[in-house]
């Protein structure tokens, strides 16, 4: 699993939290992915990390708590998406899955494995069809699925296809021979094009699974909406859910779906929902309104504050009557003054 990116597009959330540890409905995203791997029968996971690795190591340890074996390969300087694989070559003994660490998907990994075993070749790439392929890797293939071109992030209007690299590969060990050691190498810009030019067979595995790259705040909120509504199957129950639901059931101002972790306190006159996630220890004051938003742990919202389509990281304080414009992202420990009017799409918070 490639988890070495800095999560630049998610700042300020990723100043204090590496992208894989960003919570998805109150559980670190990495834990959600590990669970998906476990369900697929995978027990051996190598994490290629670099940015804030300690937070990841502290959380997962050796993986035994999950019944899995986790090995870490920490890059002092980023090796790129292929360099990261070359770096773990000694650990790789056979065909292996590669996962971009920021993808929320319902992809069936065992089915992809069957596809690869049936097709043969040096590897299979999971593809998804999207309306706007330009920010992704575009993958061209023939009717038999054989890939003829991999074009990373083509300019708008020059996309050869709407089938994009969905960030999950199943590769044979032989692909490592195409990656030079000891320098930064991009699998998208260098390795895949070289493998194709060498005439090796890469196959496209296109599915219509739920799929989202969590790399930007709008997508982070969309992921929550989709999980809470059941569009992305992840929660066992829908409606008013989570350890803290007792505080919300029967509350007149709560509009499902809402998920609340433990120890939340919601004033009887507050309005919460739809599509709201409250982290543990959040407190919501009298008359406050929260819609379409994700609050991490211990966020305190003053009376009469209004929060819509926003992401508030851990321990943010929102003063009474403050209004947070749609699309805003507030970093850890930030305090918003009483009565403040925060512009839409603001990013508040700093690395410290
Ligand atoms: N170990 C390591 N080292 N991991 C890295 C490095 C590195 O130097 N650089 C990036 N990663 C990890 C990131 O943490 C992330 O999980 C994954 O590799 C992909 O990097 P992103 O920065 O998220 O790339 P992207 O979203 O712009 O594009 C990639 O994903 C798209 C699908 O979401 C590409 O693979 C595209 O082709 C693809 O369409
Ligand atoms: Mg990404």
């Amino acid at each position: 699993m490639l988890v070495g990116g800095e999560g630049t597009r998610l700042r300020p959330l990723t100043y204090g939290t590496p992208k894989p540890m960003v919570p998805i409905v109150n559980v670190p995203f990495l834990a959600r992915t590990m669970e998906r791997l476990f369900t697929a029968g995978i027990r051996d996971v190598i994490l290629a990390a670099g940015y804030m690795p300690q937070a990841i190591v502290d959380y997962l340890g050796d993986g035994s708590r999950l019944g899995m074996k986790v090995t870490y390969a920490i890059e002092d300087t980023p090796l790129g998406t292929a360099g990261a694989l070359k770096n773990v070559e000694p650990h790789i003994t056979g065909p292996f899955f590669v996962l971009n660490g920021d993808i929320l998907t319902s992809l069936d990994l065992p089915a992809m494995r069957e596809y690869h075993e049936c097709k043969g070749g040096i590897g299979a790439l999971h593809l998804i069809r999207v309306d706007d392929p330009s920010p992704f890797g575009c993958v061209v293939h023939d009717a038999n699925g054989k890939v003829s071109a991999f074009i990373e992030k083509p300019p708008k209007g020059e996309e050869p296809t709407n089938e994009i690299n969905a960030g999950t590969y199943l590769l044979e060990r032989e692909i490592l021979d195409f990656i030079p050691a000891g320098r930064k190498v991009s699998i998208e810009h260098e390795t895949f094009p070289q493998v194709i030019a060498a005439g090796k067979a890469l196959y496209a595995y296109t599915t219509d699974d739920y799929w989202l790259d969590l790399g930007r705040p709008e997508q982070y909120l969309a992921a929550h909406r989709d999980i809470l509504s059941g569009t992305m199957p992840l929660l066992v129950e829908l409606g008013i859910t989570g350890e803290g639901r007792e505080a919300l059931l029967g509350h007149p101002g709560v509009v499902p779906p809402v998920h609340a972790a433990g120890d939340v306190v919601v004033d009887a006159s507050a309005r919460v929902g739809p599509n709201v996630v409250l982290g543990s220890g959040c407190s919501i004051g009298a008359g406050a309104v929260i819609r379409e938003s994700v609050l991490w742990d211990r966020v305190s919202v003053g009376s009469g504050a209004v929060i819509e389509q926003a992401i508030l990281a851990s321990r943010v304080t929102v003063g009474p009557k403050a209004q947070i414009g749609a699309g805003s992202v507030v970093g850890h420990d930030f305090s918003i003054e009483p009565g403040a009017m925060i512009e839409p799409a603001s990013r508040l918070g700093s690395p410290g």
Side-chain angles (χ1 to χ4, degrees):
M1 199 187 309
L2 299 172
V3 291
E6 288 186 27
T8 323
R9 291 161 292 185
L10 274 182
R11 285 177 186 164
L13 299 175
T14 43
Y15 280 138
T17 308
K19 191 156 63 167
M21 293 301 292
V22 162
I24 296 292
V25 192
N26 285 321
V27 175
F29 180 56
L30 182 59
R32 303 248 178 228
T33 308
M34 295 294 284
E35 201 179 303
R36 189 161 70 87
L37 294 176
F38 187 91
T39 308
I42 293 166
R43 297 289 179 273
D44 206 340
V45 178
I46 305 169
L47 291 177
Y51 177 69
M52 301 187 73
Q54 202 52 46
I56 301 173
V57 177
D58 288 347
Y59 182 76
L60 275 188
D62 64 1
S64 50
R65 191 167 49 92
L66 302 172
M68 295 163 93
K69 179 180 160 223
V70 177
T71 308
Y72 298 92
I74 315 280
E75 300 159 30
D76 295 330
T77 54
L79 291 171
T81 45
L85 304 182
K86 189 70 176 174
N87 191 40
V88 301
E89 186 166 19
H91 296 290
I92 295 175
T93 51
F96 58 106
F97 278 106
V98 178
L99 273 67
N100 282 356
D102 57 352
I103 304 297
L104 179 67
T105 179
S106 58
L107 170 68
D108 179 342
L109 293 168
M112 181 167 172
R113 179 176 173 175
E114 268 176 45
Y115 174 83
H116 173 61
E117 282 168 1
C118 159
K119 287 284 182 185
I122 198 167
L125 314 184
H126 178 220
L127 308 187
I128 279 282
R129 291 185 194 88
V130 296
D131 293 333
D132 175 16
S134 168
F136 302 106
C138 290
V139 185
V140 183
H141 61 84
D142 67 16
N144 190 30
K146 191 173 173 209
V147 174
S148 57
F150 190 110
I151 302 139
E152 180 69 6
K153 303 193 173 89
K156 244 188 155 61
E158 291 176 30
E159 305 93 334
T161 169
N162 69 343
E163 283 181 72
I164 60 122
N165 168 26
T168 303
Y169 325 126
L170 177 51
L171 302 172
E172 293 294 327
R173 206 175 177 280
E174 185 197 350
I175 202 155
L176 300 172
D177 299 340
F178 285 83
I179 308 172
R183 72 163 171 92
K184 190 168 181 174
V185 186
S186 159
I187 201 164
E188 297 89 348
H189 285 106
E190 298 181 59
T191 312
F192 287 146
Q194 282 165 11
V195 165
I196 296 161
K200 295 282 173 189
L202 270 176
Y203 285 96
Y205 182 61
T206 308
T207 73
D208 53 12
D209 279 287
Y210 181 88
W211 183 89
L212 198 72
D213 177 318
L214 291 166
R216 288 188 287 121
E218 312 81 80
Q219 294 154 330
Y220 180 78
L221 284 179
H224 280 84
R225 215 170 35 236
D226 292 341
I227 293 168
L228 292 177
S229 68
T231 304
M232 164 66 198
L234 194 107
L235 298 176
V236 207
E237 280 174 82
L238 300 175
I240 297 174
T241 54
E243 244 180 84
R245 67 183 172 279
E246 296 302 330
L248 304 178
L249 290 167
H251 185 302
V254 171
V255 182
V258 172
H259 186 278
D263 303 320
V264 298
V265 179
V266 178
D267 187 274
S269 63
R271 282 183 286 156
V272 176
N275 296 314
V276 167
V277 173
L278 302 177
S280 70
C282 281
S283 70
I284 315 299
V289 177
I290 307 178
R291 285 194 202 102
E292 309 283 343
S293 295
V294 177
L295 279 54
W296 294 10
D297 295 345
R298 285 182 281 151
V299 172
S300 157
V301 177
S303 55
V306 178
I307 300 170
E308 257 180 276
Q309 288 176 50
I311 309 165
L312 276 52
S314 299
R315 301 173 302 274
V316 165
T317 310
V318 180
K321 298 210 162 69
Q323 300 204 10
I324 301 184
S328 294
V329 183
V330 186
H332 300 82
D333 298 292
F334 199 88
S335 286
I336 293 174
E337 297 290 307
M341 302 280 281
I342 305 297
E343 293 279 311
S346 296
R347 304 262 179 138
L348 305 173
S350 51

